[in-house]
Amino acid sequence: MKVVIQRCKNAQVTVHEEVVGAIGEGLMVLVGVTHEDEEKDAKYLADKVAGLRIFEDEQEKMNFSVLDIGGAILSVSQFTLYGDCRKGKRPNFMAAARPEQAEKLYEAFNRELAAKGLQVETGVFGAMMDVSLTNSGPVTIIIDSRN
């Protein structure tokens, strides 16, 4: 599994002009799943995301996690994280997991975050979504459970 994490002041996801998930301060997390991924990958990434110290303390050092600041998570599935652009101009998405597997692990990831006491808002799996956020910093981190 792979996540792209953006520290944000606010974020929301809209489907068919309806807001389906929105947060204030916290983390916008794009989540991709590949074929070899298992529930242990979802748990590993949820632990990393929840504990990632990328919020600033009083000395402006990245010392606090989203848990520490009482922030929230906006989690959006995104198979395009596994787009392979090495050949040609059109990405190849063969490394992305089939929807049945991806949805199961995406939901497991979100459950793990919620079990840690985090407010978790989501998009709609498989839908065409509009995502907006105010990236704070900007701070953007990529974590892959396989690397």
Side-chain angles (χ1 to χ4, degrees), residues 17-28:
E17 299 183 25
E18 178 185 338
V19 175
V20 295
I23 63 168
E25 186 177 29
L27 300 174
M28 168 70 216

Side-chain angles (χ1 to χ4, degrees), residues 50-119:
L52 194 62
R53 294 172 24 191
I54 59 173
F55 291 90
E56 294 169 350
D57 63 16
E58 302 79 24
Q59 286 78 43
E60 297 184 356
K61 295 204 186 261
M62 289 187 188
N63 238 352
F64 293 139
S65 71
V66 68
L67 284 166
D68 296 329
I69 65 151
I73 304 279
L74 178 59
S75 174
V76 175
S77 64
Q78 189 170 15
F79 76 93
T80 60
L81 292 182
Y82 281 100
D84 183 348
C85 300
R86 291 177 290 181
K87 293 183 181 177
K89 304 280 185 189
R90 185 184 319 193
N92 172 328
F93 299 107
M94 297 301 292
R98 301 284 310 149
E100 311 77 49
Q101 176 192 9
E103 185 172 18
K104 180 179 144 205
L105 292 175
Y106 169 67
E107 289 175 357
F109 171 76
N110 294 332
R111 277 193 311 275
E112 290 286 338
L113 289 170
K116 295 176 183 317
L118 287 162
Q119 173 194 350

Side-chain angles (χ1 to χ4, degrees), residues 1-3 31-33 37 41-42 45 82 105 109 143-145:
M1 287 179 77
K2 185 184 300 186
V3 292
V31 183
V33 179
D37 291 334
D41 296 286
L45 285 177
Y82 281 100
L105 292 175
F109 171 76
I143 304 174
D144 190 321
S145 65

Side-chain angles (χ1 to χ4, degrees), residues 12-20 128-130:
Q12 73 176 30
V13 62
T14 305
V15 177
H16 302 298
E17 299 183 25
E18 178 185 338
V19 175
V20 295
M128 182 64 94
M129 297 175 271
D130 294 327

